[in-house]
Amino acid sequence: MSEFIKSSRDGGVAVITIDNPPVNALSPGVPEGLRDAIQAEAARSDVQAIVVTGAGKTFIAGADIKEFAKIRAGERPRLSLNPVANAIEDCPKPVVMAVHGTVLGGGLEIAMAGHYRVAAPATKLGQPEVKLGLIPGIGGTQRLPRLVGVAKAAEMCAFGEPIAAAEAQTLGLVDRIAGADLLADAVDFARSVRGVPRPRTRDRVEKLGAASLDALRQQVRRRLRGQEAPLAAIEAVEAAARLPFDEGIEFERILFEQCLHGSQSKALIHVFFGERAVGKVPGLPAGTPGEVREAAVIGFGTMGQGIAMAFANAGIPVSVRDNSDQALARGMEEIRGRYQGAVAKGKLDTAELERRVARITPLGSIAEADLVIEAVDEDRARKRVVFSAIDQEAKPGAILATNTSSLSIDDLASATNRPREVIGLHFFSPAQVMRLLEIVRGRRTAGETVAAALQLAKRLGKTGVVVGDAPGFAGNRIYHAYRREACLLAEEGTPPEAIDAALTEFGMAMGPLAVGDLAGLDVGWKIRRAHADLRLDGGRYPQIEDLMCERGWFGQKTGSGWYVYTEGQTPIPNPAVLELLGAMDGLRRVASAGEIVSRTMAALVNEAAKVLDEGIAARPVDVDIIFVTGYGFPAWRGGPLHYADEWGLTAILDQVRQRHAGSDAVWTPAPLLERLVKQGQTFSEFRAEL
Ligand code: 3HC
């Protein structure tokens, strides 16, 4: 018997347990072992029905994602688990799948090959393969529509969002919701169906009526712009309605393999493992990090409110302070308003709204807080005063964090008597929504503090990435290099909207100029003035946004920036900015979409290589995840450095050198980029010397 599979008997019911921690993935040996165990139990005369369950926190959470790279590289044969699913379905005795936890991808496909499904109440079921750039590959696109109908199956396979057990029961995917003891209920259920002719999902045709999926396709093209797998998933589900089962399975296989060997699945799988890798920082102390049970936020503007909401959403009580009572009252009102918006959209119920609001206490004590974070104005002197005050008030051992996006952590730490407990927590706006949390480690920040911040990020549902303390940290520094090119392109004659269009077409969530308008152009203006000393001799720096700010055009908040914003209307390019641009000296030339993308991306990659070389980001994957989770970089391109590897580092370096030769010091080639090209290596092969 397989090492992953255990069998026992309970009266006339065999119980087969899959045990492949942590998530019972279908690693080699698991599906085959399951099939063999089912066949062995079915052959016994004292067994009349079979229950399959998963050990630990979940039933099978999917195929083993680590295997896909090996299949792609030819180290493993192609995925061929349909015969296993068919053998389970052909079992002459009823097979009841007792499911709990996250029944995802191949896990749901195996569950659907069983004859019945009994689910624990909190179970989530779904086909999330598209999130890895794949489609279901063990018959999911053929069995799911037979159970829930073509339209619902297409939606589930295209968006990859799991559904709850109760909905699954209504749809016909689950036969029974268990009580507190899943296994006991599943065994009872199995007894009740022994001897009854077992239904095979593949034979069910009653829900296979044709459905028009055009509207879904349009929605997918809009919401998942640029992604191939969701459209392939719809095509495969659609085929279930027109082809016999076995032909449908073959159709699915062809599309699955196309996706598996395409660049998007490689990129998305890189992001899947990358999101988990960033949390594992070499050299941190072993042991469980200190837990944040209570928090405090100082400064209750937009950022402070968002941070307070992030804590409240995660169930952590948070005190908030501001130097004006009005600001506190207004902040609480705005928070309530945002939660009410979520209630109106059906994302939250009113009881939960009240619970979350109740976790936020204006003027509460900070003496009990395990972490105090300041989110006051971005002003060095002010922040130092605040830091020194909270150092006096906070309990010993409490972490003092700053949400600065541009000031030095070491400098702020020097205003306290506890530099080991001082850290940067750079939330992105809106803080209650954005996934990225840059965790900025000062020179004296203790490993324990970093570990606690990483754990906090996870609890807040954020992706924490540890970066070094240098101007702009990792993300903003690299993003500014990319935005600089966008502004220069505009100054040289390319229409601003063409620049944004080229980059959104590339896959960025928003164009860089529209992002400036959203964030507030005055923010960058202030930082540019405060850090004028960081400008390189011989570097070109765009003027246009300074000119705009001098005129009070700060973007969306003033109704005009790169675009003009009128309530209820689509923003239009700002004619006054076009006039300013037209009056600027120099080149007048419209760059093509290809040139816009290659120039801005080469700048981004070159700067990222400098950031790696300087140790501000430790690993290329850290940069990739920062950009995917915080800057709207398309996950299906894997992040900028994964994309750079695909693009080819030699081509990028050639472009960097050409631009540098055009006498712009900002384009000085990154030594790391030069080294990698010289050694014929890629970013994925880069290992920092720690
Ligand atoms: N294959 C391999 N490893 C997996 C895995 C999988 N399907 N799912 C999770 N893991 C690993 C993670 O990499 C992580 O490893 P680490 O501890 O070494 O970093 C560990 O299991 C725990 O995972 P999480 O940290 O993500 O644990 P959570 O409890 O937060 O989440 C989960 C659990 C909801 C199952 C989440 O891991 C998840 O969403 N996994 C992916 C599920 C998925 O996409 N399934 C479909 C796979 S593709 C497929 O099935 C194709 C088929 O149709 C042919």
Side-chain angles (χ1 to χ4, degrees), residues 376-430:
V376 302
D377 287 346
E378 195 70 358
D379 176 285
R380 175 175 176 261
R382 170 106 202 274
K383 284 203 194 266
R384 280 181 64 91
V385 170
V386 168
F387 245 62
S388 135
I390 50 183
D391 185 31
Q392 302 300 315
E393 214 178 325
K395 67 183 180 189
I399 295 174
L400 304 194
T402 167
N403 178 51
T404 182
S405 58
S406 64
L407 300 173
S408 156
I409 308 304
D410 288 336
D411 179 51
L412 294 175
S414 70
T416 74
N417 291 311
R418 57 174 101 193
R420 288 174 55 78
E421 279 90 39
V422 172
I423 198 159
L425 292 182
H426 182 205
F427 284 85
F428 286 67
S429 186

Side-chain angles (χ1 to χ4, degrees), residues 22-23 25 57-58 61-66 68 79 102 104-107 109 127-129 132 134-138 256 272-273 276 280 458:
V23 297
K57 64 176 184 179
T58 186
D64 186 339
I65 302 169
K66 291 191 292 298
F68 293 133
L79 189 83
T102 42
L104 302 175
E109 293 174 295
Q127 299 282 179
E129 286 87 344
L132 301 171
L134 296 170
I135 68 166
I138 319 175
F256 174 84
F272 176 85
F273 286 118
R276 285 150 183 86
K280 295 172 190 141
K458 198 163 185 196

Side-chain angles (χ1 to χ4, degrees), residues 336-354:
R336 184 170 279 279
R338 271 181 229 130
Y339 281 136
Q340 269 159 349
V343 171
K345 285 188 193 147
K347 291 184 179 165
L348 204 67
D349 61 39
T350 35
E352 181 58 19
L353 174 155
E354 293 303 337

Side-chain angles (χ1 to χ4, degrees), residues 18 76 86 159 241 274 391 394 406 531 601 683:
I18 304 156
R76 287 248 199 274
N86 291 346
F159 289 114
D391 185 31
S406 64
H531 295 283
M601 287 298 150
F683 280 109

Side-chain angles (χ1 to χ4, degrees), residues 474-489:
N476 278 352
R477 172 161 159 199
I478 301 169
Y479 194 74
H480 285 151
Y482 152 85
R483 267 199 101 247
R484 185 193 82 123
E485 293 313 312
C487 292
L488 286 174
L489 278 159

